[in-house]
Amino acid sequence: MSRLPVVAVVGAPNVGKSSLVNRIVRRRNAVVSERPGTTRDRAYNRAEWAGREFTLVDTGGMEPRAKVGLEALVTLQARVAVEEADVVLHLTDARLGLTEADDVIAGELRRARTKVVLAVNKLDNPADDTERHRFYSLGEGEPYAISAVHGLGVGDLLDVVVSLLPRSEPESEVEPPAFAIVG
């Protein structure tokens, strides 16, 4: 038995995390809503791209400044997903532009020392992806232009994500000793 690599999808509320998860797993597992706070816990999905299987984790919207209440608990769940992840997919929203939350989340991800891939969602016109360039300032490298709803750019994004995944390794099973020395 082997442990699949883990990819966590994180970002501010309503940037399209659940829509992207549904697109990647090719079914509507994640609930999609215009209302913030719909996704609250971590949701684990088995995914595959280019022959590589991995566990894809959908998270609720991170509110990094929330200290108490539901928003703080949802943010904690996202932080746990980041700790578990081999690769974090930081999703942002081109329609909202670069936000303070995006900046704070990027800072947290840098401190987590996890491989991060930045995606700028809701770029529905492939001929004009200039909005993504503003997101370079987050310091997370190339901002990949995607439309989770229409599937634009998602394949290129997944190519990058799977290239960063570690190879699945068999879980080590402890062999009992063939004999015991009693002293």
Side-chain angles (χ1 to χ4, degrees):
M1 185 171 198
S2 64
R3 173 195 174 274
L4 290 176
V6 176
V7 176
V9 181
V10 301
N14 279 41
V15 296
K17 295 177 298 296
S18 294
S19 293
L20 180 59
V21 167
N22 286 340
R23 171 69 57 187
I24 293 170
V25 300
R26 298 181 190 111
R27 59 188 181 278
R28 290 186 50 103
N29 276 6
V31 177
V32 177
S33 172
E34 293 294 320
R35 195 171 132 219
T38 302
T39 304
R40 296 177 180 174
D41 295 318
R42 300 182 314 275
Y44 294 84
N45 301 274
R46 192 175 195 120
E48 181 272 329
W49 183 257
R52 292 292 312 276
E53 286 189 272
F54 54 97
T55 300
L56 184 65
V57 185
D58 187 16
T59 64
M62 291 181 78
E63 296 278 3
R65 303 233 186 263
K67 301 297 180 215
V68 296
L70 183 59
E71 289 176 341
L73 293 172
V74 171
T75 299
L76 177 62
Q77 291 294 316
R79 288 177 175 141
V80 170
V82 169
E83 289 176 19
E84 295 174 337
D86 296 297
V87 175
V88 173
L89 205 163
H90 181 191
L91 193 63
T92 60
D93 183 336
R95 292 179 190 162
L96 293 176
L98 192 59
T99 66
E100 180 184 354
D102 295 330
D103 194 45
V104 173
I105 292 166
E108 280 193 37
L109 294 176
R110 276 192 297 279
R111 287 188 298 279
R113 300 177 193 256
T114 303
K115 296 173 192 163
V116 176
V117 178
L118 175 62
V120 182
N121 192 24
K122 302 181 185 178
L123 286 167
D124 301 331
N125 180 359
D128 181 16
D129 71 348
T130 55
E131 278 300 307
R132 75 182 176 94
H133 297 290
R134 294 180 186 195
F135 292 85
Y136 273 107
S137 67
L138 293 177
E140 296 177 319
E142 178 76 26
Y144 292 90
I146 69 162
S147 171
V149 169
H150 300 292
L152 301 171
V154 174
D156 293 337
L157 175 67
L158 288 172
D159 286 343
V160 172
V161 168
V162 298
S163 75
L164 297 173
L165 293 176
R167 289 286 167 197
S168 298
E169 295 180 16
E171 291 179 3
S172 62
E173 293 184 29
V174 177
E175 289 281 330
F179 62 93
I181 300 173
V182 179

